[in-house]
């Protein structure tokens, strides 16, 4: 990369990401003097804008005519320009349009994840704050298998239905994607697209039963207020769902609070769906509508390969036919070491406390082990019961080291059906989902 782009606005101290977050089309004009076709919102109408961007990148852009408006070039996606997320601390931004950010494992050490450390995962654009008004917010319940379609205000949901609070683990289906080879497309999540806050709301089951569920109902689907990246209001950014069996579980909530406070804007304020233990994409944010379906929901991101896995093991790089893919349901057993932080130096002869969390989708974690010899032998760790079903579980142990040198601490959880985390990356799949390989940290003993 030859040069960083220049901000030629009247506020030169503002960062590139900040400009694009406020108004991406205006940012195109300020940073690159770029104008795009009104109809397609692609390309460069004037060569000057293209030259400015190509100069900054240090190379020509052969397919510039296809480049969407308001898009920060990926070459600058990891720019050191100042960029902060409102209400968040220490997250690593992977992409800013749509916004996606993960949490380093040592910042997930709290037993209940604080809002400031909950990851952000989007397929579309976050709604403008001006439309996220709890006083006027409504939720529509509809669909061909709903007997009495009804629209509730948020106040009616809070007053008509009993409130429930659960600590629930949400994990992105692509968490750990960065370890697959060959690389899968999409944000290269490492380990931090997981969190376990406390959610409060009404049970989805209670709301659906109040509207009447027809006998032929098999699935629910959701729609939110987030915008499709193209800006086309007729398209849903994402509209996923779950089978009725999951929708009617006690812990599946229509939630308006997280950790006893209003839901954070970046995590779905003022209302979201929470389906703990399943890919977080089933827990729709900025929730506006739920449909009860007489078939598997067919919203955006429900079709293969999105959130699908091969029905059988495949060789890395295999093109898998759609008919040989199946929808991801419960997430696999997995764990994190949240203390200490990788790369520490430790004194020989002193015990090293280590701790973290483990979770297993719809199941519980039954056993936990740690290793300092690359998985040759394992030491059993103490494991606590979950705060409630679908909450992650805390583990801890103390380690001693035989001599000075470099060690890796590996962590491995076993679920209540006997399935253990693999020590290496599990079977490859086209979208890089469900990598539940053992987490490990580096320790230098001196």
């Amino acid at each position: 990369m030859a040069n960083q782009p220049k901000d030629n606005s009247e506020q030169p101290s503002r960062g590139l990401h900040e400009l694009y977050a406020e108004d991406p089309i205006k940012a195109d004009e300020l940073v690159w003097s770029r104008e795009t076709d009104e109809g397609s919102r692609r390309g460069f109408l004037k060569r000057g804008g293209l030259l400015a961007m190509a100069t900054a990148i240090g190379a020509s852009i052969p397919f510039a005519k296809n480049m969407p408006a308001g898009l920060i070039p990926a070459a600058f996606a990891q720019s050191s320009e100042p960029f902060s997320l409102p209400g968040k601390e220490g997250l690593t931004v992977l992409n800013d349009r749509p916004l996606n950010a993960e949490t380093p494992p040592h910042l997930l050490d709290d037993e209940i994840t604080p809002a400031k450390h909950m990851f952000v995962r989007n397929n579309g654009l976050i709604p403008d704050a001006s439309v996220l008004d709890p006083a006027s917010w409504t939720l529509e319940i509809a669909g061909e298998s709903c007997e009495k379609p009804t629209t509730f205000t948020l106040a009616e949901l809070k007053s008509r239905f009993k409130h429930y609070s659960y600590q629930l683990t949400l994990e992105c289906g692509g968490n750990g994607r960065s370890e697959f080879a060959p690389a899968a497309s999409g944000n290269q999540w490492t380990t931090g697209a997981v969190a376990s806050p406390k959610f409060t709301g009404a049970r989805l089951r209670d709301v659906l039963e109040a509207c009447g569920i027809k006998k032929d109902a098999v699935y629910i689907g959701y729609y939110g207020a987030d915008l499709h990246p193209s800006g086309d209001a007729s398209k849903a950014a994402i509209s996923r769902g779950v089978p009725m069996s999951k929708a009617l579980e006690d812990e599946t909530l229509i939630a308006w609070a997280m950790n006893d406070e209003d839901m954070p804007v970046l995590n779905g304020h003022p209302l979201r769906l929470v389906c703990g233990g399943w890919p977080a994409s089933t827990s729709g944010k900025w929730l506006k509508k739920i449909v009860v379906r007489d078939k598997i929901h067919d919203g955006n991101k429900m079709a293969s390969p999105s959130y699908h896995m091969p029905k059988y093991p495949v060789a890395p790089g295999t093109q898998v036919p759609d008919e040989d893919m199946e929808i991801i349901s419960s997430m696999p057993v997995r764990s994190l070491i949240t203390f200490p932080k990788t790369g520490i130096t430790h004194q020989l002869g002193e015990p090293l406390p280590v701790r973290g969390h483990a979770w297993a989708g719809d199941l519980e974690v039954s056993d936990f082990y740690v290793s300092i010899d690359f998985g040759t032998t394992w030491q059993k760790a103490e494991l606590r019961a979950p705060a409630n079903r679908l909450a992650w579980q805390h583990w801890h142990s103390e380690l001693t080291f035989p001599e000075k040198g470099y060690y890796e601490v590996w962590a491995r959880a076993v679920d209540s059906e006997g399935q253990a985390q693999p020590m290496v990356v599990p079977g490859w799949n086209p979208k890089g989902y469900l990598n539940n390989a053992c987490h490990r940290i580096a320790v230098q003993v001196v």
Side-chain angles (χ1 to χ4, degrees):
M1 188 185 313
N3 299 298
Q4 292 292 314
K6 293 182 179 179
D7 174 5
N8 57 5
S9 72
E10 295 179 356
Q11 297 173 288
S13 64
R14 298 160 73 201
L16 182 68
H17 296 277
E18 184 180 357
L19 284 170
Y20 272 83
E22 287 179 1
D23 186 338
I25 304 302
K26 184 68 174 178
D28 269 353
E29 179 184 346
L30 289 172
V31 179
W32 316 109
S33 299
R34 181 187 178 193
E35 296 178 28
T36 51
D37 177 74
E38 285 287 343
S40 66
R41 279 295 185 193
R42 288 176 180 270
F44 291 73
L45 286 183
K46 295 181 180 178
R47 185 166 174 74
L50 175 58
L51 286 174
M53 186 179 288
T55 300
I57 292 174
S60 63
I61 309 174
F63 296 107
K65 62 181 174 48
N66 300 327
M67 188 172 183
L71 185 74
I72 298 178
F76 302 124
Q78 302 300 322
S79 166
S80 59
E81 290 280 336
F83 184 58
S84 62
L85 303 180
K88 301 293 181 183
E89 291 181 15
L91 271 62
T92 303
V93 178
L94 303 179
N95 190 27
D96 60 356
R97 188 176 170 85
L99 179 62
N100 290 293
E102 69 172 333
T103 314
H106 68 282
L107 295 183
L108 290 169
D109 195 42
D110 296 271
E111 294 189 2
I112 297 176
T113 309
K116 65 183 180 182
H117 289 155
M118 183 169 181
F119 71 100
V120 177
R121 170 71 178 107
N122 289 301
N123 283 265
L125 307 182
I126 297 170
D128 189 278
S130 63
V131 306
L132 302 178
D133 179 16
S136 59
W137 196 262
T138 58
L139 173 66
E140 179 185 2
I141 307 295
E144 62 271 16
S145 292
C146 175
E147 292 179 340
K148 296 178 293 183
T150 307
T151 298
F152 300 96
T153 65
L154 180 52
E156 287 172 334
L157 285 172
K158 291 182 177 180
S159 63
R160 283 190 55 178
F161 298 98
K162 184 178 178 180
H163 297 191
Y164 292 86
S165 292
Y166 297 106
Q167 185 182 351
L168 299 170
T169 302
L170 296 184
E171 181 181 16
C172 173
N175 195 24
R177 175 180 290 142
S178 63
E179 295 183 354
F180 282 104
S185 62
N187 291 292
Q188 296 301 299
W189 302 93
T190 59
T191 57
V194 63
S196 193
K198 184 178 80 170
F199 294 97
T200 299
R203 290 195 305 207
L204 175 60
R205 178 175 74 195
D206 294 344
V207 177
L208 296 184
E209 288 177 347
C211 299
I213 305 170
K214 294 183 181 177
K215 291 183 179 179
D216 63 356
V218 296
Y219 231 88
I220 64 101
Y222 70 76
Y223 294 90
D226 44 340
L227 306 173
H228 191 275
S230 68
D232 186 342
S234 66
K235 297 180 179 177
I238 183 169
S239 176
R240 301 201 64 226
V242 295
M244 293 305 297
S245 57
K246 182 66 178 176
L248 300 180
E249 285 186 346
D250 286 350
E251 300 84 1
T252 300
L253 298 179
I254 298 172
W256 49 74
M258 194 170 93
N259 296 341
D260 301 320
E261 297 184 346
D262 285 349
M263 191 74 65
V265 169
L266 294 182
N267 299 117
H269 176 78
L271 199 65
R272 72 172 299 168
L273 187 64
V274 184
C275 301
W278 283 43
S281 55
T282 61
S283 296
K285 300 191 292 283
W286 309 289
L287 185 65
K288 292 296 292 180
K289 183 177 183 179
I290 292 175
V291 287
V292 186
R293 308 299 310 270
D294 63 2
K295 59 183 178 182
I296 296 175
H297 183 52
D298 52 3
N300 190 22
K301 303 293 182 182
M302 281 298 294
S304 177
S306 296
Y307 303 103
H308 280 64
M309 288 283 289
K311 295 177 180 175
Y312 45 81
V314 300
T318 301
Q319 294 288 329
V320 184
D322 286 347
E323 60 270 24
D324 290 345
M325 302 282 278
E326 58 187 2
I327 301 172
I328 298 170
S329 55
S330 178
M331 296 293 285
V333 61
R334 194 166 186 189
S335 62
L336 272 182
I337 303 168
T338 59
F339 181 87
K341 182 179 180 180
T342 190
I344 66 157
T345 298
H346 181 71
Q347 194 68 39
L348 180 66
E350 295 182 1
L352 174 66
V354 292
R355 62 175 181 259
H357 315 293
W359 59 96
D362 283 338
L363 303 175
E364 280 196 23
V365 177
S366 59
D367 293 293
F368 201 87
Y369 301 90
V370 290
S371 173
I372 61 169
D373 56 10
F374 302 99
T376 302
T377 62
W378 293 88
Q379 171 180 322
K380 194 162 186 174
E382 292 196 23
L383 178 71
R384 285 164 47 183
N388 53 253
R389 183 173 177 265
L390 308 181
W392 65 17
Q393 296 168 240
H394 315 297
W395 62 268
H396 75 274
S397 186
E398 284 197 350
L399 300 173
T400 56
F401 300 90
E403 59 184 275
K404 296 178 180 178
Y406 170 83
Y407 295 86
E408 292 190 1
V409 177
W410 289 18
R412 186 177 66 171
V414 181
D415 70 25
S416 51
E417 294 185 350
Q419 297 293 316
Q421 287 185 259
M423 288 187 283
V424 296
V425 178
W428 184 91
N429 63 89
K431 296 290 283 184
Y433 294 127
L434 307 189
N435 176 10
N436 65 332
C438 293
H439 186 215
R440 57 199 178 103
I441 63 168
V443 177
Q444 188 82 21
V445 176
V446 296

